Amino acid sequence: MTQTVKIGIIGSGGIANAHAQCYKKMSDVEIVAVADLVPGKAAEFIQKLELKNAVPFEDHQELLQLDLDGVSVCTPNVAHHKTSVDSLLAGKHVLVEKPLSITLEQGIDMVETSLKMDKMLTVGFQPRYDPNMQLVKEIVSSGELGNVYYVQTGGGRRRGMPQGTFIKKALAGAGAMADIGCYSLDLALNTLGYPKPISVSAYTSNLFGTNPDYHPDAANFEVEDFGIALIRLEGGKVINFKVSWAMHMDTLGPTLFLGTNAGLKLTPAGQGPWSGVWDGGIGSIDLFHDINGQHVDTSIPVKKHNLNIFYEKVRAFVKAIQEGKNIAPIPAEQILINQAIIDGILRSAEAGKEVSISIPDLRPAKI
């Protein structure tokens, strides 16, 4: 008999709505409770989504006292650390939305707490479930490209700057890097097998966000809306990374994987001013290689599918709980590397020079 998984949701904003809608489609899941520190907001969320058996709370600690198997952490970025650690300490498995945390130190604490409690900590990177993203990883992992020494990745929106908690440094930690850049980094790093970073040299700016002609809350815009970085990885590999929330351009270019035997070029799916970043599917895949000494360009057909990749992300979390092996679908240990690079980018941009990236050996937290 399939286990009914009892879920709590912390935070009741837009991303929480997406989680709840996915859970509601699963006959083997029960949403037991919702917590939000804004008075009445959790109750309103429950009523609107018709979660008849769910209980509202203003304090997430009260939610964690219930008999729950897992928790979706859907708070603003600033609360990811505390709510995730509290949930893990309460013996719950955790699916936390991206980015993992505000600081690298917080991310380390989250991962080490999950190790200490022997509970899953998985991170919401739904593009991993796109069949074409998986196809790209299969191609590179097969050795078709030979030794991959260079990756160009990132993406830009012509106009795509959010508001609210996304633009305050104390609440978001970072801007475009954490919001959409993390997806581009995951595309590159996951395809390469998540090699460890060594150093980064970066530049960031917020020339659009702080301009009232382009953003309605320019006076309160504190994070970067554009950034570029050269990231050195173990094994002699480098990533040329670039991301933008706003620019006078239609694209920052395709994602490229250059190998000693072949190269791979990817373009993202989607059109319009909010597209052009790797938070969705792949529009095209092209292989550049040689046959009998001749240059050959091969277009690889993208897989057509009707998968809701956000649903697949949430479903993978539920399945992992049911399997009882405490194996996270997207391990936070991997995303910690992603977080370390973003941390390095911000440090390098502030210092105006290359900085080293160091990730300590992870060990169970002292509790």
Side-chain angles (χ1 to χ4, degrees):
M1 184 175 179
T2 303
Q3 172 193 355
T4 296
V5 174
K6 297 179 180 180
I7 292 291
I9 300 176
I10 302 177
S12 60
I15 201 69
N17 178 76
H19 279 244
Q21 296 290 1
C22 292
Y23 286 129
K24 285 181 65 178
K25 295 177 182 178
M26 304 176 197
S27 60
D28 52 356
V29 172
E30 178 185 1
I31 300 177
V32 175
V34 178
D36 196 296
L37 55 79
V38 178
K41 193 174 178 182
E44 181 182 346
F45 181 89
I46 288 170
Q47 182 179 12
K48 182 178 180 180
L49 273 70
E50 299 180 344
L51 307 177
K52 299 178 181 178
N53 298 321
V55 180
F57 294 98
E58 293 177 14
D59 185 345
H60 70 273
Q61 290 283 21
E62 294 181 14
L63 175 147
L64 294 173
Q65 293 176 18
L66 301 179
D67 180 19
L68 302 171
D69 298 299
V71 172
S72 275
V73 172
C74 303
T75 65
N77 298 354
V78 68
H80 284 187
H81 171 244
K82 179 171 174 52
T83 50
S84 295
V85 168
D86 288 347
S87 299
L88 293 164
L89 291 176
K92 322 301 182 188
H93 298 294
V94 174
L95 165 57
V96 60
E97 268 301 327
K98 60 82 186 171
L100 178 64
S101 58
I102 292 284
T103 68
L104 177 58
E105 291 72 21
Q106 288 177 347
I108 292 170
D109 186 40
M110 292 163 71
V111 172
E112 292 187 338
T113 301
S114 73
L115 295 174
K116 173 69 176 181
M117 299 304 297
D118 194 23
K119 293 295 176 182
M120 280 189 298
L121 176 61
T122 189
V123 190
F125 278 65
Q126 63 270 9
R128 288 263 194 115
Y129 297 94
D130 183 278
N132 293 297
M133 294 284 190
Q134 295 171 356
L135 173 60
V136 168
K137 182 174 174 61
E138 290 172 7
I139 293 171
V140 174
S141 298
S142 73
E144 178 73 24
L145 306 188
N147 175 32
V148 176
Y149 56 90
Y150 172 87
V151 180
Q152 170 184 297
T153 193
R157 295 170 175 164
R158 187 164 183 171
R159 292 292 184 276
M161 292 182 288
Q163 301 181 43
T165 61
F166 286 89
I167 68 171
K168 303 291 288 184
K169 190 168 185 179
L171 298 177
M177 294 291 169
D179 181 39
I180 57 177
C182 62
Y183 288 130
S184 302
L185 284 176
D186 189 61
L187 165 60
L189 294 167
N190 184 50
T191 300
L192 295 176
Y194 258 94
K196 287 186 177 181
I198 297 172
S199 66
V200 59
S201 181
Y203 163 87
T204 63
S205 64
N206 57 6
L207 302 176
F208 285 81
T210 56
N211 186 333
D213 290 339
Y214 295 109
H215 198 282
D217 197 13
N220 293 311
F221 199 100
E222 300 174 346
V223 295
E224 81 289 344
D225 59 42
F226 173 82
I228 58 172
L230 181 69
I231 305 158
R232 298 182 185 276
L233 307 173
E234 287 183 343
K237 304 178 190 301
V238 294
I239 296 177
N240 179 4
F241 173 65
K242 45 195 174 178
V243 64
S244 180
W245 267 343
M247 60 184 178
H248 290 302
M249 189 53 60
D250 60 340
T251 177
L252 285 174
T255 283
L256 306 176
F257 290 88
L258 299 186
T260 51
N261 295 339
L264 202 64
K265 180 171 76 172
L266 319 175
T267 61
Q271 295 180 338
W274 279 70
S275 64
V277 296
W278 293 105
D279 54 357
I282 291 178
S284 66
I285 306 172
D286 292 287
L287 181 70
F288 295 79
H289 54 130
D290 293 347
I291 295 180
N292 294 328
Q294 299 297 314
H295 300 321
V296 177
D297 307 345
T298 302
S299 179
I300 299 174
V302 295
K303 296 181 179 181
K304 296 182 178 180
H305 66 90
N306 295 315
L307 283 178
N308 180 329
I309 58 175
F310 199 99
Y311 175 89
E312 294 299 317
K313 169 184 74 176
V314 178
R315 186 60 191 167
F317 177 53
V318 171
K319 286 183 177 179
I321 292 173
Q322 291 173 329
E323 290 172 357
K325 298 179 182 178
N326 294 350
I327 300 176
I330 299 178
E333 291 90 332
Q334 288 184 348
I335 307 307
L336 188 63
I337 295 174
N338 194 308
Q339 190 80 24
I341 291 175
I342 293 175
D343 175 82
I345 288 171
L346 298 178
R347 288 188 292 112
S348 172
E350 183 177 2
K353 62 181 181 180
E354 185 174 27
V355 300
S356 61
I357 298 176
S358 178
I359 303 172
D361 293 333
L362 298 174
R363 59 192 184 283
K366 295 180 180 179
I367 299 171

PDB file of all heavy atoms in Angstrom, residues 126-133 183 187 267-270 276-283 305 309:
ATOM      1  N   GLN A 126      13.670  22.883 -10.960  1.00  0.00           N
ATOM      2  CA  GLN A 126      12.824  22.101 -11.850  1.00  0.00           C
ATOM      3  C   GLN A 126      13.373  21.886 -13.259  1.00  0.00           C
ATOM      4  O   GLN A 126      13.020  20.876 -13.894  1.00  0.00           O
ATOM      5  CB  GLN A 126      11.415  22.692 -11.933  1.00  0.00           C
ATOM      6  CG  GLN A 126      11.305  24.081 -12.516  1.00  0.00           C
ATOM      7  CD  GLN A 126      11.427  25.153 -11.458  1.00  0.00           C
ATOM      8  OE1 GLN A 126      11.762  24.859 -10.306  1.00  0.00           O
ATOM      9  NE2 GLN A 126      11.153  26.384 -11.829  1.00  0.00           N
ATOM     10  N   PRO A 127      14.256  22.760 -13.809  1.00  0.00           N
ATOM     11  CA  PRO A 127      14.771  22.467 -15.151  1.00  0.00           C
ATOM     12  C   PRO A 127      15.479  21.125 -15.255  1.00  0.00           C
ATOM     13  O   PRO A 127      15.591  20.561 -16.348  1.00  0.00           O
ATOM     14  CB  PRO A 127      15.747  23.628 -15.412  1.00  0.00           C
ATOM     15  CG  PRO A 127      15.182  24.760 -14.620  1.00  0.00           C
ATOM     16  CD  PRO A 127      14.671  24.110 -13.362  1.00  0.00           C
ATOM     17  N   ARG A 128      15.938  20.587 -14.145  1.00  0.00           N
ATOM     18  CA  ARG A 128      16.590  19.267 -14.151  1.00  0.00           C
ATOM     19  C   ARG A 128      15.655  18.179 -14.716  1.00  0.00           C
ATOM     20  O   ARG A 128      16.121  17.148 -15.201  1.00  0.00           O
ATOM     21  CB  ARG A 128      16.974  18.860 -12.734  1.00  0.00           C
ATOM     22  CG  ARG A 128      18.135  19.625 -12.136  1.00  0.00           C
ATOM     23  CD  ARG A 128      19.440  18.876 -12.275  1.00  0.00           C
ATOM     24  NE  ARG A 128      20.466  19.458 -11.405  1.00  0.00           N
ATOM     25  CZ  ARG A 128      21.015  18.836 -10.379  1.00  0.00           C
ATOM     26  NH1 ARG A 128      20.650  17.605 -10.076  1.00  0.00           N
ATOM     27  NH2 ARG A 128      21.938  19.439  -9.665  1.00  0.00           N
ATOM     28  N   TYR A 129      14.348  18.411 -14.622  1.00  0.00           N
ATOM     29  CA  TYR A 129      13.388  17.382 -15.023  1.00  0.00           C
ATOM     30  C   TYR A 129      12.950  17.519 -16.475  1.00  0.00           C
ATOM     31  O   TYR A 129      12.158  16.709 -16.968  1.00  0.00           O
ATOM     32  CB  TYR A 129      12.174  17.412 -14.079  1.00  0.00           C
ATOM     33  CG  TYR A 129      12.580  17.071 -12.667  1.00  0.00           C
ATOM     34  CD1 TYR A 129      12.896  18.065 -11.756  1.00  0.00           C
ATOM     35  CD2 TYR A 129      12.731  15.748 -12.275  1.00  0.00           C
ATOM     36  CE1 TYR A 129      13.320  17.758 -10.476  1.00  0.00           C
ATOM     37  CE2 TYR A 129      13.158  15.424 -10.994  1.00  0.00           C
ATOM     38  CZ  TYR A 129      13.457  16.441 -10.101  1.00  0.00           C
ATOM     39  OH  TYR A 129      13.890  16.122  -8.839  1.00  0.00           O
ATOM     40  N   ASP A 130      13.465  18.524 -17.172  1.00  0.00           N
ATOM     41  CA  ASP A 130      13.166  18.661 -18.590  1.00  0.00           C
ATOM     42  C   ASP A 130      13.905  17.568 -19.365  1.00  0.00           C
ATOM     43  O   ASP A 130      15.124  17.424 -19.218  1.00  0.00           O
ATOM     44  CB  ASP A 130      13.601  20.040 -19.080  1.00  0.00           C
ATOM     45  CG  ASP A 130      13.252  20.255 -20.538  1.00  0.00           C
ATOM     46  OD1 ASP A 130      14.018  19.789 -21.422  1.00  0.00           O
ATOM     47  OD2 ASP A 130      12.217  20.869 -20.809  1.00  0.00           O
ATOM     48  N   PRO A 131      13.201  16.784 -20.194  1.00  0.00           N
ATOM     49  CA  PRO A 131      13.858  15.686 -20.919  1.00  0.00           C
ATOM     50  C   PRO A 131      15.030  16.142 -21.780  1.00  0.00           C
ATOM     51  O   PRO A 131      15.997  15.392 -21.972  1.00  0.00           O
ATOM     52  CB  PRO A 131      12.730  15.114 -21.779  1.00  0.00           C
ATOM     53  CG  PRO A 131      11.480  15.457 -21.039  1.00  0.00           C
ATOM     54  CD  PRO A 131      11.739  16.794 -20.424  1.00  0.00           C
ATOM     55  N   ASN A 132      14.975  17.371 -22.287  1.00  0.00           N
ATOM     56  CA  ASN A 132      16.069  17.845 -23.129  1.00  0.00           C
ATOM     57  C   ASN A 132      17.284  18.278 -22.317  1.00  0.00           C
ATOM     58  O   ASN A 132      18.416  18.156 -22.770  1.00  0.00           O
ATOM     59  CB  ASN A 132      15.572  18.983 -24.021  1.00  0.00           C
ATOM     60  CG  ASN A 132      14.567  18.483 -25.042  1.00  0.00           C
ATOM     61  OD1 ASN A 132      14.880  17.666 -25.893  1.00  0.00           O
ATOM     62  ND2 ASN A 132      13.339  18.944 -24.927  1.00  0.00           N
ATOM     63  N   MET A 133      17.050  18.780 -21.099  1.00  0.00           N
ATOM     64  CA  MET A 133      18.164  19.039 -20.191  1.00  0.00           C
ATOM     65  C   MET A 133      18.869  17.724 -19.869  1.00  0.00           C
ATOM     66  O   MET A 133      20.105  17.647 -19.828  1.00  0.00           O
ATOM     67  CB  MET A 133      17.659  19.691 -18.904  1.00  0.00           C
ATOM     68  CG  MET A 133      17.077  21.074 -19.066  1.00  0.00           C
ATOM     69  SD  MET A 133      18.363  22.310 -19.292  1.00  0.00           S
ATOM     70  CE  MET A 133      17.373  23.817 -19.141  1.00  0.00           C
ATOM     71  N   TYR A 183      20.057  28.911 -12.215  1.00  0.00           N
ATOM     72  CA  TYR A 183      19.614  27.885 -13.168  1.00  0.00           C
ATOM     73  C   TYR A 183      20.679  27.635 -14.237  1.00  0.00           C
ATOM     74  O   TYR A 183      20.948  26.485 -14.608  1.00  0.00           O
ATOM     75  CB  TYR A 183      18.315  28.318 -13.848  1.00  0.00           C
ATOM     76  CG  TYR A 183      17.084  28.290 -12.981  1.00  0.00           C
ATOM     77  CD1 TYR A 183      16.239  29.395 -12.922  1.00  0.00           C
ATOM     78  CD2 TYR A 183      16.738  27.156 -12.261  1.00  0.00           C
ATOM     79  CE1 TYR A 183      15.081  29.374 -12.151  1.00  0.00           C
ATOM     80  CE2 TYR A 183      15.589  27.123 -11.483  1.00  0.00           C
ATOM     81  CZ  TYR A 183      14.771  28.243 -11.433  1.00  0.00           C
ATOM     82  OH  TYR A 183      13.629  28.214 -10.662  1.00  0.00           O
ATOM     83  N   LEU A 187      22.706  24.187 -14.972  1.00  0.00           N
ATOM     84  CA  LEU A 187      22.772  23.550 -16.289  1.00  0.00           C
ATOM     85  C   LEU A 187      24.208  23.157 -16.609  1.00  0.00           C
ATOM     86  O   LEU A 187      24.482  22.023 -17.021  1.00  0.00           O
ATOM     87  CB  LEU A 187      22.231  24.506 -17.356  1.00  0.00           C
ATOM     88  CG  LEU A 187      22.546  24.158 -18.817  1.00  0.00           C
ATOM     89  CD1 LEU A 187      21.988  22.793 -19.190  1.00  0.00           C
ATOM     90  CD2 LEU A 187      22.017  25.238 -19.751  1.00  0.00           C
ATOM     91  N   THR A 267      20.099  26.610 -27.315  1.00  0.00           N
ATOM     92  CA  THR A 267      19.339  27.847 -27.164  1.00  0.00           C
ATOM     93  C   THR A 267      18.116  27.549 -26.304  1.00  0.00           C
ATOM     94  O   THR A 267      17.539  26.459 -26.394  1.00  0.00           O
ATOM     95  CB  THR A 267      18.884  28.424 -28.512  1.00  0.00           C
ATOM     96  OG1 THR A 267      18.021  27.485 -29.168  1.00  0.00           O
ATOM     97  CG2 THR A 267      20.077  28.717 -29.404  1.00  0.00           C
ATOM     98  N   PRO A 268      17.719  28.493 -25.460  1.00  0.00           N
ATOM     99  CA  PRO A 268      16.556  28.251 -24.592  1.00  0.00           C
ATOM    100  C   PRO A 268      15.245  28.356 -25.349  1.00  0.00           C
ATOM    101  O   PRO A 268      15.141  29.043 -26.372  1.00  0.00           O
ATOM    102  CB  PRO A 268      16.680  29.356 -23.539  1.00  0.00           C
ATOM    103  CG  PRO A 268      17.399  30.462 -24.248  1.00  0.00           C
ATOM    104  CD  PRO A 268      18.351  29.794 -25.195  1.00  0.00           C
ATOM    105  N   ALA A 269      14.244  27.672 -24.844  1.00  0.00           N
ATOM    106  CA  ALA A 269      12.896  27.793 -25.396  1.00  0.00           C
ATOM    107  C   ALA A 269      12.267  29.078 -24.866  1.00  0.00           C
ATOM    108  O   ALA A 269      12.728  29.664 -23.892  1.00  0.00           O
ATOM    109  CB  ALA A 269      12.058  26.587 -24.991  1.00  0.00           C
ATOM    110  N   GLY A 270      11.202  29.507 -25.500  1.00  0.00           N
ATOM    111  CA  GLY A 270      10.478  30.676 -25.020  1.00  0.00           C
ATOM    112  C   GLY A 270      10.785  31.921 -25.808  1.00  0.00           C
ATOM    113  O   GLY A 270      11.854  32.049 -26.410  1.00  0.00           O
ATOM    114  N   GLY A 276      14.690  33.812 -22.445  1.00  0.00           N
ATOM    115  CA  GLY A 276      16.124  33.905 -22.651  1.00  0.00           C
ATOM    116  C   GLY A 276      16.973  33.447 -21.496  1.00  0.00           C
ATOM    117  O   GLY A 276      18.182  33.687 -21.480  1.00  0.00           O
ATOM    118  N   VAL A 277      16.375  32.795 -20.502  1.00  0.00           N
ATOM    119  CA  VAL A 277      17.137  32.259 -19.377  1.00  0.00           C
ATOM    120  C   VAL A 277      16.792  30.785 -19.201  1.00  0.00           C
ATOM    121  O   VAL A 277      15.775  30.308 -19.695  1.00  0.00           O
ATOM    122  CB  VAL A 277      16.846  33.034 -18.081  1.00  0.00           C
ATOM    123  CG1 VAL A 277      17.305  34.479 -18.214  1.00  0.00           C
ATOM    124  CG2 VAL A 277      15.369  33.004 -17.723  1.00  0.00           C
ATOM    125  N   TRP A 278      17.646  30.074 -18.462  1.00  0.00           N
ATOM    126  CA  TRP A 278      17.518  28.624 -18.392  1.00  0.00           C
ATOM    127  C   TRP A 278      16.626  28.169 -17.233  1.00  0.00           C
ATOM    128  O   TRP A 278      16.980  27.281 -16.466  1.00  0.00           O
ATOM    129  CB  TRP A 278      18.899  27.983 -18.307  1.00  0.00           C
ATOM    130  CG  TRP A 278      19.655  28.184 -19.571  1.00  0.00           C
ATOM    131  CD1 TRP A 278      20.682  29.044 -19.791  1.00  0.00           C
ATOM    132  CD2 TRP A 278      19.422  27.530 -20.818  1.00  0.00           C
ATOM    133  NE1 TRP A 278      21.112  28.971 -21.097  1.00  0.00           N
ATOM    134  CE2 TRP A 278      20.349  28.051 -21.755  1.00  0.00           C
ATOM    135  CE3 TRP A 278      18.501  26.560 -21.249  1.00  0.00           C
ATOM    136  CZ2 TRP A 278      20.387  27.629 -23.084  1.00  0.00           C
ATOM    137  CZ3 TRP A 278      18.553  26.145 -22.575  1.00  0.00           C
ATOM    138  CH2 TRP A 278      19.486  26.670 -23.468  1.00  0.00           C
ATOM    139  N   ASP A 279      15.447  28.787 -17.102  1.00  0.00           N
ATOM    140  CA  ASP A 279      14.483  28.325 -16.108  1.00  0.00           C
ATOM    141  C   ASP A 279      13.366  27.520 -16.756  1.00  0.00           C
ATOM    142  O   ASP A 279      12.361  27.201 -16.121  1.00  0.00           O
ATOM    143  CB  ASP A 279      13.900  29.509 -15.320  1.00  0.00           C
ATOM    144  CG  ASP A 279      13.313  30.580 -16.224  1.00  0.00           C
ATOM    145  OD1 ASP A 279      13.395  30.438 -17.463  1.00  0.00           O
ATOM    146  OD2 ASP A 279      12.779  31.568 -15.690  1.00  0.00           O
ATOM    147  N   GLY A 280      13.529  27.207 -18.011  1.00  0.00           N
ATOM    148  CA  GLY A 280      12.523  26.423 -18.726  1.00  0.00           C
ATOM    149  C   GLY A 280      13.182  25.384 -19.601  1.00  0.00           C
ATOM    150  O   GLY A 280      14.172  24.770 -19.217  1.00  0.00           O
ATOM    151  N   GLY A 281      12.654  25.226 -20.807  1.00  0.00           N
ATOM    152  CA  GLY A 281      13.128  24.171 -21.685  1.00  0.00           C
ATOM    153  C   GLY A 281      14.208  24.619 -22.653  1.00  0.00           C
ATOM    154  O   GLY A 281      14.713  25.738 -22.603  1.00  0.00           O
ATOM    155  N   ILE A 282      14.558  23.711 -23.573  1.00  0.00           N
ATOM    156  CA  ILE A 282      15.576  23.949 -24.587  1.00  0.00           C
ATOM    157  C   ILE A 282      14.902  24.091 -25.942  1.00  0.00           C
ATOM    158  O   ILE A 282      14.036  23.296 -26.310  1.00  0.00           O
ATOM    159  CB  ILE A 282      16.597  22.800 -24.610  1.00  0.00           C
ATOM    160  CG1 ILE A 282      17.432  22.827 -23.323  1.00  0.00           C
ATOM    161  CG2 ILE A 282      17.512  22.884 -25.823  1.00  0.00           C
ATOM    162  CD1 ILE A 282      18.438  21.706 -23.219  1.00  0.00           C
ATOM    163  N   GLY A 283      15.313  25.120 -26.678  1.00  0.00           N
ATOM    164  CA  GLY A 283      14.723  25.360 -27.985  1.00  0.00           C
ATOM    165  C   GLY A 283      15.420  24.615 -29.102  1.00  0.00           C
ATOM    166  O   GLY A 283      14.785  24.122 -30.032  1.00  0.00           O
ATOM    167  N   HIS A 305       7.449  17.088 -25.435  1.00  0.00           N
ATOM    168  CA  HIS A 305       6.838  16.482 -24.253  1.00  0.00           C
ATOM    169  C   HIS A 305       5.792  17.427 -23.670  1.00  0.00           C
ATOM    170  O   HIS A 305       5.755  18.624 -23.991  1.00  0.00           O
ATOM    171  CB  HIS A 305       7.908  16.181 -23.198  1.00  0.00           C
ATOM    172  CG  HIS A 305       8.544  17.416 -22.625  1.00  0.00           C
ATOM    173  ND1 HIS A 305       8.054  18.059 -21.514  1.00  0.00           N
ATOM    174  CD2 HIS A 305       9.632  18.134 -23.016  1.00  0.00           C
ATOM    175  CE1 HIS A 305       8.801  19.117 -21.255  1.00  0.00           C
ATOM    176  NE2 HIS A 305       9.763  19.190 -22.138  1.00  0.00           N
ATOM    177  N   ILE A 309       7.337  20.403 -15.589  1.00  0.00           N
ATOM    178  CA  ILE A 309       8.571  20.118 -14.877  1.00  0.00           C
ATOM    179  C   ILE A 309       8.515  20.578 -13.422  1.00  0.00           C
ATOM    180  O   ILE A 309       9.203  20.004 -12.568  1.00  0.00           O
ATOM    181  CB  ILE A 309       9.797  20.718 -15.599  1.00  0.00           C
ATOM    182  CG1 ILE A 309       9.680  22.233 -15.767  1.00  0.00           C
ATOM    183  CG2 ILE A 309       9.999  20.044 -16.944  1.00  0.00           C
ATOM    184  CD1 ILE A 309      10.922  22.875 -16.376  1.00  0.00           C
TER     185      ILE A 309
END
